[in-house]
Amino acid sequence: MIATMPQQIRNRVEKLRRELHEHDYRYYVLAKPTISDEQYDRMMRELSDLEEQYPQLQSPDSPTQRVGGEPTKEFATVTHSPSMLSLANSYSEEEIRDFDRRVHELLKRQTPTYVAELKVDGVAIALKYRYGMFVQGATRGDGNQGDDITHNLRTIRSIPLHLRSKVPSLMTIEVRGEVFMDKDEFEKMNMQRAANSQKVFINPRNATAGTLKLQDPKIVASRPIKMIAYSLFAPKYRGKLESHFENIQTLKSLGFPINEYTRRCKNIDEVIEFWRLWEGMRNSLPYDIDGVVAKVDSLKQQQDLGSIAKSPRWAMAFKFSARKAETRLKNIRLQVGRVGTVTPVADLEPVFLAGTTVSRATLHNPDYIRELDLRIGDTVVVEKGGDVIPKVSAVVTSKRQKESKPYVMQNRCPQCGSPIYRPQNEVNYFCVNSECPAQVKGRIEHFAHRGAMDIEGFGDSVVEQIVSLGLVKNYSDLYSLHKHRKILVALEHWGEKSTQNLIEAIGRSKKQPFPRVLFALGIRHVGAGVAQVLAEHFTSIEALQEATEEELRSVSEIGPKIAESIIHFFHDKHNRNIVKKLQESGVTLAASAVKTKGNLSGKTFVLTGTLPTYSREEAKRIIEENGGRVASGVNKIVDYVLVGEDAGAKLVRARKLGIRTISENELTNMIR
Ligand code: IVH
């Protein structure tokens, strides 16, 4: 049933949307956020709750649509007009000068100036805006026809859903640009995929291209894709904009991210200087570039120059030399991670590649080896892709030795000799022995690392020492490490001071907030983001430990895989003991320190619907000031559900679980 909707709600929804759009722009385009992630999430949640309650208010340009709607079966075809051209390439100064000479000849007496841009190594897209609203987005395809991927592109937060400045005559405009992934985000995503036994991507460009083709926009929304705009087609604007550089400035004022290094060049020498500069500096950028692009600046001159076949005469890509090298694969070694994942690593004949000597490369999993048919002794191509971590990307089969044999995966753990196995539907092998020293060390390293408990001075070699000495068998033992002070002081490279520093750092880590601790536990599939969601939802380790699979899955971000893994973790008596020990040591195992005094002390509340007088923020503050805690999801450990007008699914769930519901009035009485 559609609830009747007060004007007040409509206004609130509009205000939230306006503000969220503005914050998206500040965060994703300007990279200068002005509110915390938490405040942003809260506004987003309020908006999506309201849209859920009042479906008549739903709109494709709402910021909530960034999370992605229903999957599509097949992409429709979009015809590009004008067609999406590509660029002719050149690799040497000579070729660049040839290009400039041709331009001069064709323009006769006019002298061109240029705009030099970075050639971001991503995927080209075209975006249409009608009356200022994003209406269609497409891939390049063959240049004439591409796929309609509007639903996927809507989820990319740096793509504006509305143009920022209104130009009355601007009815339909088309913006073209590049979508891509930052190298570190790509690596993070790949590492997570490897840990979840999913196929890893070869480089950020492949990952971006693969993502755009997905049928489910929700998955697209979870991938770290960005956009920069480099062309504007605004027919009604003709006459006003005279140069490509002005086009780019217009794109900026319309709210598009543009590349900050774009430069106007007086002549080709300046372009060559730009090309040389970025050839040397490319590693310092957070994303991959494969060259620079020079474009004749004047739009009139561009028109005069025209195009040949598939590329314009007024622009050219000046590529950099490749970051690939050939070398020999000496051996394939197996590494064991903290959850027992066995990862093959390539030992290579050292080779110099884009600034460093490479002697090792990841091979991800046995499927990757099989797909490449990689054999020990092969000559291979090593590539520096998205990050400094090199990859083996191909085999030079013409140089293969006759006696080479396909690689056969070993069946024992290289660390402890236990059997390794490959579960169904997994790409990775695992060591069966949870006490395997590699796993024990891996878990402790993960617990202590910067993103988790952040224990300073606790590097891999320290872990190695204390684990091999048997001082620490699992991470809960860290909090009794001070009992072994004498042994530590006597260790090689240690001493009074470093021992004291380490013990203090361990002590300080007890204050790390609950989400970090949850992440540090190293539950499979529970990364930092999932840990944050779980902490908000369940608010204490007890609640999480008791949660059923159904309760876990009722949280929108938690799928069956994560739920199963959490249940599995807490089902293990050994893990429960470890958690208990952490608790006894004083590690934070509940959300934000709850006041022990106050009428609501120890009680957990969930809010739903619009309250008569308080905003959600105010109600939350009142509850917390009186010692209570506010969770976002209804589950067994919730004591009260505070119900307002037009309450939704949470009320239904509270009734189902028999949880007491109260009104704002009752809450006021409780704290009096
Ligand atoms: S201009 C007519 N500018 O390179 C000119 N392209 O082979 C069309 N690219 O498909 C492209 N950065 O995917 C242009 N600053 C830039 C670019 C750029 C990357 C890509 C784009 C295009 C390909 C050209």
Side-chain angles (χ1 to χ4, degrees):
M1 199 185 64
I2 293 179
T4 52
M5 176 191 40
Q7 182 61 31
Q8 191 192 343
I9 300 284
R10 192 184 287 275
N11 294 345
R12 178 76 188 144
V13 164
E14 272 166 21
K15 181 157 186 270
L16 284 167
R17 283 184 187 162
R18 234 181 0 256
E19 288 182 2
L20 284 162
H21 277 307
E22 182 62 27
H23 291 304
D24 272 350
Y25 176 70
R26 289 187 194 167
Y27 189 98
Y28 293 101
V29 180
L30 303 180
K32 283 192 190 117
T34 49
I35 57 169
S36 69
D37 290 359
E38 203 189 344
Q39 284 168 306
Y40 179 92
D41 292 345
R42 226 179 284 137
M43 285 164 68
M44 188 63 101
R45 216 171 296 140
E46 186 186 344
L47 178 61
S48 76
D49 281 356
L50 287 172
E51 287 177 355
E52 202 178 303
Q53 278 171 38
Y54 302 99
Q56 65 269 50
L57 283 181
Q58 281 169 14
S59 159
D61 65 341
S62 169
T64 53
Q65 299 307 301
R66 301 279 202 197
V67 298
E70 292 302 306
T72 40
K73 292 237 160 52
E74 226 171 79
F75 299 123
T77 300
V78 171
T79 304
H80 297 300
S81 169
S83 13
M84 288 181 81
L85 301 175
S86 62
L87 295 166
N89 293 322
S90 60
Y91 295 86
S92 64
E93 182 175 335
E94 203 187 334
E95 285 177 288
I96 299 175
R97 293 202 182 274
D98 279 349
F99 160 74
D100 180 56
R101 210 167 299 127
R102 269 197 311 277
V103 169
H104 271 90
E105 276 167 22
L106 288 164
L107 289 177
K108 307 221 170 77
R109 267 182 258 292
Q110 304 170 54
T111 313
T113 61
Y114 294 102
V115 173
E117 295 172 3
L118 298 184
K119 189 169 183 300
V120 177
D121 196 9
V123 179
I125 51 156
L127 309 169
K128 267 203 183 79
Y129 288 79
R130 206 161 285 144
Y131 303 112
M133 210 157 105
F134 174 54
V135 289
Q136 189 186 66
T139 59
R140 176 171 181 274
D142 62 3
N144 292 316
Q145 291 194 319
D147 287 335
D148 182 336
I149 52 163
T150 313
H151 298 303
N152 286 348
L153 293 177
R154 226 189 267 294
T155 67
I156 300 174
R157 286 163 195 269
S158 49
I159 296 182
L161 296 177
H162 293 282
L163 300 181
R164 281 181 73 76
S165 57
K166 281 214 177 68
V167 184
S169 60
L170 216 57
M171 309 276 262
T172 301
I173 66 160
E174 181 156 331
V175 174
R176 292 181 183 169
E178 198 83 353
V179 283
F180 62 98
M181 274 183 204
D182 277 349
K183 295 184 274 190
D184 59 345
E185 293 287 349
F186 164 78
E187 285 300 336
K188 232 191 309 177
M189 179 185 83
N190 246 2
M191 255 146 67
Q192 224 161 37
R193 289 179 68 84
N196 291 351
S197 293
Q198 289 167 298
K199 220 172 144 174
V200 291
F201 293 107
I202 303 270
N203 58 38
R205 183 172 32 78
N206 284 0
T208 307
T211 302
L212 294 185
K213 287 202 202 102
L214 291 173
Q215 309 280 318
D216 186 352
K218 286 203 174 63
I219 307 178
V220 182
S222 70
R223 303 259 172 96
I225 298 193
K226 290 184 165 177
M227 184 240 182
I228 56 135
Y230 54 64
S231 324
L232 168 67
F233 295 90
K236 297 267 154 110
Y237 230 88
R238 213 179 286 142
K240 288 194 191 146
L241 297 171
E242 289 179 354
S243 69
H244 175 63
F245 198 76
E246 281 168 13
N247 265 357
I248 294 178
Q249 298 313 311
T250 310
L251 283 169
K252 186 177 177 184
S253 65
L254 293 173
F256 291 91
I258 57 165
N259 193 280
E260 57 184 311
Y261 303 111
T262 296
R263 200 174 103 187
R264 254 180 161 158
C265 297
K266 279 203 298 292
N267 51 39
I268 204 70
D269 291 335
E270 287 189 9
V271 176
I272 292 171
E273 195 187 308
F274 184 86
W275 175 60
R276 290 246 160 80
L277 175 80
W278 284 107
E279 163 112 67
M281 299 247 295
R282 58 195 295 205
N283 284 344
S284 65
L285 289 167
Y287 42 83
D288 279 331
I289 57 172
D290 58 345
V292 305
V293 184
K295 298 175 180 172
V296 168
D297 194 20
S298 151
L299 298 183
K300 167 81 178 48
Q301 290 178 1
Q302 285 190 4
Q303 212 170 14
D304 292 348
L305 288 161
S307 307
I308 25 159
K310 281 192 151 93
S311 41
R313 285 202 195 87
W314 47 263
M316 187 170 256
F318 305 147
K319 302 285 265 289
F320 302 135
S321 45
R323 302 206 298 171
K324 288 181 188 172
E326 281 185 17
T327 188
R328 208 178 64 89
L329 175 66
K330 292 199 300 191
N331 194 13
I332 295 178
R333 262 181 317 113
L334 299 180
Q335 252 177 11
V336 186
R338 70 182 159 90
V339 290
T341 327
V342 179
T343 313
V345 178
D347 273 339
L348 303 164
E349 203 73 70
V351 60
F352 192 73
L353 177 58
T356 56
T357 302
V358 174
S359 53
R360 256 202 273 168
T362 171
L363 295 171
H364 304 298
N365 56 55
D367 282 351
Y368 190 85
I369 301 177
R370 199 165 314 118
E371 266 170 44
L372 292 174
D373 182 22
L374 202 57
R375 304 177 182 194
I376 293 169
D378 271 350
T379 300
V380 295
V381 178
V382 221
E383 216 174 296
K384 269 197 183 166
D387 194 57
V388 278
I389 302 171
K391 293 182 170 76
V392 171
S393 61
V395 175
V396 187
T397 35
S398 58
K399 294 189 184 166
R400 173 169 280 167
Q401 285 160 342
K402 277 199 203 77
E403 64 275 16
S404 78
K405 290 197 185 65
Y407 175 72
V408 182
M409 182 76 181
Q410 297 158 35
N411 55 13
R412 299 231 158 235
C413 171
Q415 290 284 331
C416 69
S418 309
I420 59 175
Y421 74 108
R422 181 183 197 159
Q424 254 189 345
N425 305 323
E426 295 263 6
V427 289
N428 289 317
Y429 279 80
F430 292 87
C431 164
V432 293
N433 172 17
S434 66
E435 297 304 310
C436 167
Q439 289 188 47
V440 172
K441 281 181 212 152
R443 284 194 293 264
I444 296 174
E445 276 163 21
H446 171 78
F447 184 82
H449 91 279
R450 265 178 71 188
M453 300 303 269
D454 193 14
I455 304 177
E456 221 175 299
F458 205 77
D460 298 0
S461 63
V462 176
V463 177
E464 174 75 47
Q465 278 181 306
I466 60 173
V467 172
S468 350
L469 284 170
L471 301 181
V472 169
K473 293 202 173 54
N474 60 64
Y475 44 66
S476 71
D477 293 340
L478 292 180
Y479 296 97
S480 34
L481 194 61
H482 58 274
K483 293 183 188 152
H484 305 292
R485 181 189 289 267
K486 276 207 184 111
I487 306 179
L488 294 175
V489 173
L491 285 175
E492 206 182 334
H493 303 308
W494 283 57
E496 203 56 71
K497 187 133 201 303
S498 16
T499 305
Q500 183 58 23
N501 287 347
L502 182 65
I503 288 172
E504 280 172 14
I506 292 173
R508 277 197 301 277
S509 74
K510 292 181 189 174
K511 294 222 165 56
Q512 290 291 1
F514 184 42
R516 268 186 183 248
V517 183
L518 261 187
F519 171 52
L521 295 183
I523 304 172
R524 207 164 165 227
H525 306 308
V526 177
V530 171
Q532 182 77 39
V533 170
L534 288 171
E536 265 179 39
H537 216 88
F538 293 94
T539 70
S540 72
I541 198 82
E542 289 86 359
L544 185 63
Q545 253 170 351
E546 279 172 28
T548 62
E549 186 157 346
E550 195 203 350
E551 279 164 2
L552 288 164
R553 288 189 56 183
S554 72
V555 182
S556 60
E557 289 89 342
I558 310 295
K561 222 170 170 176
I562 305 177
E564 195 189 313
S565 167
I566 296 168
I567 299 275
H568 186 256
F569 182 89
F570 289 115
H571 189 73
D572 186 338
K573 207 167 144 207
H574 180 65
N575 288 338
R576 283 206 308 274
N577 277 335
I578 292 179
V579 170
K580 196 160 154 246
K581 266 186 77 182
L582 288 177
Q583 209 157 19
E584 287 163 1
S585 310
V587 172
T588 315
L589 284 161
S592 62
V594 174
K595 279 193 174 181
T596 46
K597 287 201 182 111
N599 292 354
L600 308 182
S601 148
K603 301 290 181 214
T604 303
F605 292 74
V606 165
L607 314 183
T608 178
T610 314
L611 299 173
T613 52
Y614 297 140
S615 71
R616 263 168 195 248
E617 288 315 298
E618 285 163 341
K620 183 166 186 265
R621 188 173 42 77
I622 290 168
I623 291 169
E624 285 173 353
E625 278 174 359
N626 286 280
R629 205 184 263 159
V630 177
S632 60
V634 180
N635 53 54
K636 274 200 304 215
I637 61 112
V638 172
D639 298 290
Y640 300 101
V641 174
L642 176 58
V643 181
E645 201 189 336
D646 298 316
K650 287 179 190 164
L651 175 59
V652 178
R653 198 166 156 72
R655 293 214 170 113
K656 198 168 140 202
L657 295 177
I659 293 165
R660 208 175 136 194
T661 55
I662 55 165
S663 65
E664 185 185 287
N665 237 340
E666 283 169 280
L667 175 72
T668 326
N669 287 335
M670 283 165 83
I671 55 177
R672 207 162 266 154

